[in-house]
Amino acid sequence: MTSRTRIAFVPGLLVALSIGVAGCSSDQSAEEVADAPFPPPPRPVIDIRRPNADQAMRADAATAMIGEGRHDDAIRAFEALLDENPSLTVAYVGIGRAYEDLGEYRRAEPAYARATRLDPRDFDAQFGHGTVLQALGRLKEAARAYQQALSIRPDDPASLSGLGAAFIELDMPASAIAPIERRIQIDPDDGDARAMLGTAYMLAGRVDDAIDAYEIAIEYVGNDPELIGNLVECYARLDRHREAANAGQVLVATAPSPEAWERLGRAYFRLGDYDASVQSYRNAVELDPEFWPALNGVGVNELNRWLRSERTDLEARDAAADAFRASLRANPTQPKVVGLLTTYGL
C-alpha cells in the first residue's frame, strides 16, 4: 500500500485536503463539504416594547378604568407597568388616552409622543398624538401624525376626517378635499363628513360642489345653523339670491343670530326687497347693537331710500347717518363708510 493510499483513510483529512486544493481542481463538487458544521440557530428576539401576557391583561384592565371614569387609577396602573418595563408602548398610549379623556391635552401629548418614538408603527399612538396635537392647535404636527396613522391603516375613517379638518384649519382646503372624499367613499351616510367636504369645497373656491355637498349633508344632519349659514353664503356667491333668502329664512327660524339676520338682509337687498332687507338688518342690530355689518346694511338701505325720494325724505337721511356713525364707533377702520358720509354730506 502506498503512502497516498494511507493518507486517504486518515479521518477528517480528506475534507481538509480537498479544501486546500480547490483552486487547482476544476471538478470539485459541493458534496465534499456536505458535513461542514452549521452555525447555531439565532436566539429569539424579544421586543421589549410589547407586553407579556400578564402585562397585557393589566393594561386591558387599566384601559377599562378609563371607560369607568377612574382616570387616576388607570394612570397609576400604567405607571406601574412602566416601572417594570420603561419601553412598554401600550402603557404610554394608555396614559395619553387617560389625560386626553380628561381634556388635559398638554399632559397627554408627551405620553403619546413617547409612544410614537418607541414604536412609529403603533396606530393608536399616532392617531392619539394627532388628536391631542390638533386640540392644542399644533396643526402641522397633527397633520403629520394623522398621515403616519394612515400609513398604517390607510382607510381609517377617523384619521381621514382628522387630517381633513387639520388641513382646513391650516387654510389648506384644497389639500383637505382628498382625505374627506375618501372618508365619504368609505361611509356615504356620514353627514358630518359631507358638511366638512362642503366647507373644503367652499374655501377652495369650488362653490357649486360646496352647495351640492351642503344640500346632501342637510339631509343627514338636519338644519345645522353653521351649515345653513355657509349654504346661504354659497348661494349668494353664485347670485342665487332667492335660494339664499329661502335658506336664510330657515336659518333665522332655527337659530336667530346677528350673523343670520345680516345674511338674510343681504339676500333681500340683492332681490330688491328693500323693506324686508332693512328690517332684517334692524333685527340683527336688536340682537347686537354693535354688530357693524348690520349697521352698514341699515345705513345703505336708508341712504338709498333718501336718494329714491330725490333727497326729500329727511328721516331716511338721518337714519342713514345714525347707522353709519354707529358702525364707525364699533369699527373705526372703515374707509368706505367714511367716504359715504363725506360724499353725501351725512
Side-chain angles (χ1 to χ4, degrees):
M1 180 178 297
T2 66
S3 60
R4 179 180 178 86
T5 305
R6 286 195 298 273
I7 291 173
F9 288 96
V10 176
L13 185 60
L14 178 60
V15 171
L17 290 174
S18 298
I19 294 174
V21 300
C24 302
S25 175
S26 60
D27 62 347
Q28 184 71 34
S29 71
E31 293 181 359
E32 293 177 294
V33 294
D35 294 332
F38 290 98
R43 297 177 64 182
V45 177
I46 300 175
D47 189 346
I48 61 173
R49 300 169 303 178
R50 300 284 184 264
N52 58 35
D54 175 67
Q55 291 168 337
M57 290 179 59
R58 289 158 59 195
D60 289 343
T63 300
M65 293 176 192
I66 298 175
E68 297 166 359
R70 298 166 55 197
H71 299 88
D72 291 341
D73 291 339
I75 291 169
R76 282 192 291 269
F78 285 124
E79 288 175 341
L81 287 170
L82 290 174
D83 288 340
E84 297 176 12
N85 181 354
S87 297
L88 279 180
T89 305
V90 68
Y92 286 107
V93 171
I95 292 172
R97 186 174 295 160
Y99 281 128
E100 180 186 1
D101 200 54
L102 288 169
E104 297 186 29
Y105 303 116
R106 294 189 185 281
R107 301 182 74 178
E109 191 276 329
Y112 278 128
R114 175 62 174 159
T116 62
R117 289 193 295 270
L118 283 169
D119 188 356
R121 298 300 295 172
D122 188 292
F123 172 82
D124 291 332
Q126 295 289 0
F127 176 76
H129 200 207
T131 59
V132 297
L133 287 169
Q134 191 168 16
L136 291 170
R138 294 164 58 179
L139 299 173
K140 290 183 179 180
E141 295 170 89
R144 285 194 291 269
Y146 286 131
Q147 288 169 329
Q148 288 295 320
L150 287 167
S151 73
I152 303 166
R153 297 183 190 174
D155 290 334
D156 180 68
S159 298
L160 290 166
S161 292
L163 181 59
F167 278 137
I168 289 174
E169 292 182 81
L170 283 167
D171 197 22
M172 300 171 62
S175 297
I177 291 172
I180 304 172
E181 286 181 334
R182 179 57 186 153
R183 172 72 179 88
I184 292 171
Q185 289 175 353
I186 295 169
D187 184 4
D189 296 334
D190 189 326
D192 291 334
R194 289 189 178 276
M196 190 190 305
L197 181 60
T199 299
Y201 282 146
M202 180 180 72
L203 295 175
R206 295 172 55 176
V207 183
D208 284 308
D209 291 330
I211 289 173
D212 291 340
Y214 281 138
E215 289 177 340
I216 296 173
I218 289 173
E219 297 177 8
Y220 289 103
V221 303
N223 292 330
D224 177 79
E226 184 176 354
L227 194 162
I228 298 175
N230 288 347
L231 187 58
V232 172
E233 187 68 29
C234 289
Y235 285 140
R237 289 189 191 181
L238 296 181
D239 295 329
R240 294 165 61 174
H241 300 302
R242 173 51 60 191
E243 291 163 291
N246 292 340
Q249 289 170 348
V250 174
L251 182 59
V252 298
T254 56
S257 68
E259 294 80 8
W261 280 112
E262 191 270 337
R263 284 173 172 171
L264 183 57
R266 275 188 287 149
Y268 280 136
F269 186 86
R270 296 295 184 184
L271 287 170
D273 190 345
Y274 303 119
D275 290 339
S277 176
V278 72
Q279 186 57 55
S280 296
Y281 285 128
R282 290 191 184 282
N283 290 342
V285 173
E286 285 182 12
L287 293 175
D288 183 355
E290 296 186 354
F291 188 57
W292 58 269
L295 288 166
N296 288 341
V298 172
V300 168
N301 272 289
E302 295 292 0
L303 177 61
N304 285 335
R305 182 159 70 97
W306 178 55
L307 294 176
R308 286 196 302 270
S309 74
E310 297 183 354
R311 307 193 183 200
T312 61
D313 190 339
L314 298 182
E315 181 183 352
R317 178 186 181 280
D318 291 343
D322 290 344
F324 285 139
R325 288 194 174 91
S327 176
L328 285 174
R329 286 195 295 273
N331 179 14
T333 310
Q334 296 186 78
K336 289 184 178 180
V337 174
V338 174
L340 288 173
L341 288 170
T342 303
T343 300
Y344 293 101
L346 298 177

